[in-house]
Structure formats: C-alpha cells, structure tokens
Amino acid sequence: MEEYILDVRDICKSFPGVKALDHAQLKVRPGTVHSLMGENGAGKSTLMKCLFGIYKRDKGDVIYCGKKVNFPNAHAALQEGIAMVHQELQPIPERSVAENIFCGRYPMKWGGLVVDHAKMNAMTAELLKEVRLNVKPTTRLGDLSVSQMQSVEIAKAVSMNAKIIIMDEPTSSLTENEVEGLFTIIDSLKAKGVAIIYISHKMEEILKISDDVTIMRDGKYVGTWHADELTTDLIIQRMVGRELTNRFPHRENVPGEVILEVKNFTSPNPHSFQNVSFELKRGEILGIGGLVGAQRTELMEGLFGIRNATGEIIFKGKKLNISQPKDAIDNGIALLTEDRRATGIFGVLSIEDNVSVASLNKYVEAGVLLNDRKIRNLVNENINKLSIKTPSTKTKIQSLSGGNQQKVIISRWLANDPDVLILDEPTRGIDVGAKYEIYTIIAELAKQGKAIIMISSEMPELLGMSDRIMVMCEGKVSGFVDGASATQEVVMDLATKFMQ
C-alpha cells in the first residue's frame, strides 16, 4: 500500500502580477487528518483549487493513489473520489436534503424517465445516520441550521465514496458543541481510511484534531510536522515568519458612563430573544457569548432595526425608536454583520464604494452631486489608518483577503463616527495575523470612547477582548461575567443554563 494517498509536488500558479503558488507541496497519508495552515493569501485555497481542477496549474505534479493525475474540472475530481466541503456553503434551500445530496446523479426508474425518490430517500437515510444527522431525507434544506447543512455536505462526499475530503474552515459557523459533533464524524471517516485535508485558522482545533500539519507562507511550502510536535506559538511563528508574543493587544480603554440601556427587549417570535435587558458604557467592550440558537445575532439585528421588537432603547439618556436601520445609523449606531460575504461587502464594487456607501449624504453638494475628491480623501485616510492592503482604491473588494475585507467594512462605519459599534463575529475566517490587527483596531476604538458590542463564538476571543461578557441561552440573558475573571467553564455553564 502507498504511504501517501496524495502527493502534491512543486505546484506553481501565477495570476497577472501575482505568484500565488511557488513550488508548493503537500503529502497526505490515508486515514489521517492533515491540516493546511497559513495566513490569508498564503496560497491554501489556490493549492486546493489546483488539486480540484478549478484552476489549471502552471507547473508541478499531483500523484493520487499512486498515479499522476490532472483533473480538468471539479466534476472529474469528484468522480475519482476527491470531495470538498467549502467554507461558503452553496445549498439549494428550496429542495430536500436527499435532492441536495444526489443533485445531478439522481437514482432513476422506468428506463431513466423518472427519479426514484423512494430509493433516493432510503439511501439518504443511511448516509444521514453515518454523519449523525437526525433529520428526515425529505426535510427542506433551507430549514436546517448551518451546522446541519454542513453535515449534509459531508454526507454528499461520503455518498461519492470519497477517499479524500477537503474541509475549508468547517467550524467557522459552529459552536463548541457542534464542533465536537464534527470531530466525531471526522473520527469515523478516518477509521474507514478516508483522508481529511483540514483548512482552519483555529489553533486549538488544529492541535486537537490533526495528525499532520503543513504550513504555507506567501505561496511557498514552509514544512510539515506531526501535530504532537507543535504548539500554538510554534504554528504562529512558522505561519507569519515572526513571533507574536501576545494573541491579544494590551487594552487601555476605561469604561465610562452608560451610553446605551436596553430594557425588556422582546421579539414577536416566541422562539427568539425575550425580555433582554443590559447596559453598555462608553469605552467598553461588551462581549456577547452563547451557543448557536442563543439568538445573539437576532437580538443585535432587532437593536439595529432589521427585525421587529418591543421594549425600550435609551440612548444618551433619551428614549430611541428604531424601526429601520436608517434610524440606528442616523443616531450613531453601526452594525458589522455576521456573514461578511452575504450581508457585509458589495463584492463587485470597489473599495472606495464599499467604504463610502453608508456616509454618502455627507458628500453631496448642490443637492445632487457627490464630491469625489472628499470621498477619495476619506477612503485613503481609512486605508492608511487601518493598514488595508490593496493595490488601489478602485480594486474590487471581493479580490481582497478576508481580513482586509473586514477592515474595509469597519472603515465604512467609522466614516459615520458612530458612538456604538456592534461587531458580529468580527474575525470569522480570518488568519491569526489579521485577527491581531482587528483586535488592535477594536482596542483603539474603545480607548477613544467608542462603545463596542462584540458577538463571538470563539472562547479565547471572548475572554481575551471583553471588559464584560453577557451570556445568552435560548433567547434569554443567562448572566453577566466580568471579563477579567471570566473562565471558559463559567461562560459555558451560563450558555447552557436554560437547556433541558
């Protein structure tokens, strides 16, 4: 038997003006979890796309199951047993779980004229057992949670008898409990000899789940190590080429007087947030913790006017009526949404457009014309202030790394000079170096007196950046913890307080 199921040798790939891969390598053993790590822009996704047939490599070889391969497209890779679970899932929400799994290859009857739904549903039921997902094959996919949709994607890979499954940031939208469920599925796949290529920025996960770790930097291969030879500090040092002495910056903010008071805030949906009350001070970072389903995002969307809610909002000592996002924006409240790509960036527009879009009213002259010079000055000022890496202000935002996209959205709201900044999962899918830069921006804003609400599903982030933590469970506030004395155990205990 071959020692390696996959041997990727000296892959080179260039785009106009950029060498994305420079003799990249990867050797994967069957029945193991092989983590692929590196900062945004290190070439991880490009390497996987070259393997998967999405990009045509300029140079190098791929040896799969002992044979040289060069897949012309993703379908060819799938047919040969290489599957990929993408970070940005692309489900067909209106169709059933079974139809999503077997899309494009339905079992047929009556001479291939009619889909054999009974057979398809029976096959799906077996697959769902394998990935420990307790839903019916006929369930509409759009009714599932993100973690359940991800399990459906894994079931699809299993259904194709995949020998290698690539998982790109598979836990970016999952809670700790759901992560443990995913790890159980991964263990069962390993036991069957399936190799997992695991791409993640989460150090604790990497060290827990991996057998081998390959690190890339600037499109180049840095090295491969057994996971038990590594520590978080070693991984960071090899990823970024320098030591990061602290994962979180020193904070000098001093919380002041109460700027925002929320009383008995309640959604008309009985399964959403109910009777939520809290205070927020100037210069304070208030972390919001809880498991998926705790209704943290829904609560903040209610506060921002995206969702209907009853209750009182007292802002700067006056009662505030927020019925739409414009009301919140006009009063100095900003929201950085949870899903950067779906509801944050305008992907096909430039950085200039993305930064200025929420504050264009300030730059209208003579009632009809925009002052381009002032807008350009605003954008350049923010690019410098937040160290946004971009060739030009006219560059499309979708071509930037995740960390730089996030900085652009933060600068969009800073252009409005808000008093309250709500950050929903501000570092999701961002590498450790860019995370530190985002944390530094948050700490500096709090020092300037901005009031920050930060929702985070990453426990180290929640504990490392919060002055206070409000924990939610099933739509209710289960408790408050002082940031300095908070522990993972205390937060998790509160996060499950009302569960049966």
Side-chain angles (χ1 to χ4, degrees), residues 176 248 290-291 456-465 469 487-492 495:
E176 293 198 9
F248 302 99
L291 304 178
S456 179
S457 297
E458 289 194 35
M459 193 66 74
E461 179 171 281
L462 200 62
L463 299 176
M465 285 299 295
I469 300 171
T487 65
Q488 183 166 329
E489 291 73 24
V490 169
V491 173
M492 283 303 294

Side-chain angles (χ1 to χ4, degrees), residues 401-451:
S401 68
N404 283 302
Q405 287 180 3
Q406 201 75 316
K407 289 183 193 176
V408 169
I409 306 172
I410 291 173
S411 64
R412 172 194 301 167
W413 292 118
L414 295 187
N416 274 342
D417 194 27
D419 293 297
V420 174
L421 189 56
I422 303 168
L423 307 172
D424 195 347
E425 304 289 0
T427 66
R428 172 168 290 167
I430 292 175
D431 68 70
V432 66
K435 276 185 177 183
Y436 189 86
E437 292 178 344
I438 299 288
Y439 296 149
T440 303
I441 292 166
I442 293 170
E444 181 59 30
L445 290 172
K447 183 183 173 183
Q448 292 170 14
K450 305 292 184 191

Side-chain angles (χ1 to χ4, degrees), residues 5-6 48 51-53 62-65 69 71 73-85 157 160-166 195 197:
I5 189 171
L6 180 70
M48 290 300 99
L51 165 64
F52 210 57
V62 174
I63 316 295
Y64 172 58
C65 293
V69 295
F71 301 121
N73 51 50
H75 181 70
L78 275 168
Q79 293 294 103
E80 291 298 320
I82 301 178
M84 190 166 182
V85 179
M160 304 190 81
N161 297 313
K163 297 184 181 76
I164 297 175
I165 300 177
I166 303 161
I197 299 175

Side-chain angles (χ1 to χ4, degrees), residues 294-315:
Q295 304 297 307
R296 297 167 299 168
T297 293
E298 290 78 2
L299 171 65
M300 291 304 135
E301 288 178 348
L303 192 58
F304 196 66
I306 296 172
R307 294 172 183 265
N308 292 327
T310 57
E312 277 188 278
I313 300 172
I314 299 167
F315 185 58

Side-chain angles (χ1 to χ4, degrees), residues 17 27 34 119-120 192 255 261 273 281 323 337 342 401 416 418 460 472:
K27 291 184 176 182
H34 194 119
K119 183 179 179 182
M120 181 171 67
K192 292 179 178 178
E261 192 174 356
F273 55 91
K281 298 173 182 175
S323 59
T337 56
S401 68
N416 274 342
M472 294 183 68

Side-chain angles (χ1 to χ4, degrees), residues 304-330:
F304 196 66
I306 296 172
R307 294 172 183 265
N308 292 327
T310 57
E312 277 188 278
I313 300 172
I314 299 167
F315 185 58
K316 296 181 182 177
K318 295 179 182 176
K319 191 170 178 180
L320 200 60
N321 181 31
I322 298 176
S323 59
Q324 57 183 336
K326 187 178 184 299
D327 299 331
I329 294 167
D330 290 346

Side-chain angles (χ1 to χ4, degrees), residues 77-194:
L78 275 168
Q79 293 294 103
E80 291 298 320
I82 301 178
M84 190 166 182
V85 179
H86 295 270
Q87 180 184 1
E88 306 296 331
L89 299 176
Q90 295 176 321
I92 309 168
E94 297 303 321
R95 308 312 299 175
S96 72
V97 168
E99 288 169 318
N100 270 269
I101 289 175
F102 287 98
C103 183
R105 53 194 179 97
Y106 299 122
M108 307 298 286
K109 61 182 180 181
W110 298 353
L113 294 173
V114 177
V115 174
D116 190 339
H117 282 93
K119 183 179 179 182
M120 181 171 67
N121 289 336
M123 291 163 70
T124 300
E126 290 302 313
L127 290 165
L128 295 178
K129 279 183 197 170
E130 205 162 332
V131 298
R132 294 170 168 79
L133 182 55
N134 187 25
V135 299
K136 291 179 181 177
T138 52
T139 303
R140 177 181 168 274
L141 195 82
D143 293 335
L144 303 187
S145 68
V146 172
S147 65
Q148 289 174 320
M149 286 184 194
Q150 196 174 63
S151 293
V152 170
E153 283 294 310
I154 296 170
K156 185 191 292 186
V158 171
S159 75
M160 304 190 81
N161 297 313
K163 297 184 181 76
I164 297 175
I165 300 177
I166 303 161
M167 296 187 179
D168 188 1
E169 295 286 350
T171 63
S172 62
S173 302
L174 306 187
T175 63
E176 293 198 9
N177 286 352
E178 290 168 331
V179 168
E180 289 303 320
L182 175 65
F183 288 174
T184 302
I185 295 168
I186 288 174
D187 284 339
S188 68
L189 291 170
K190 277 176 61 178
K192 292 179 178 178
V194 177

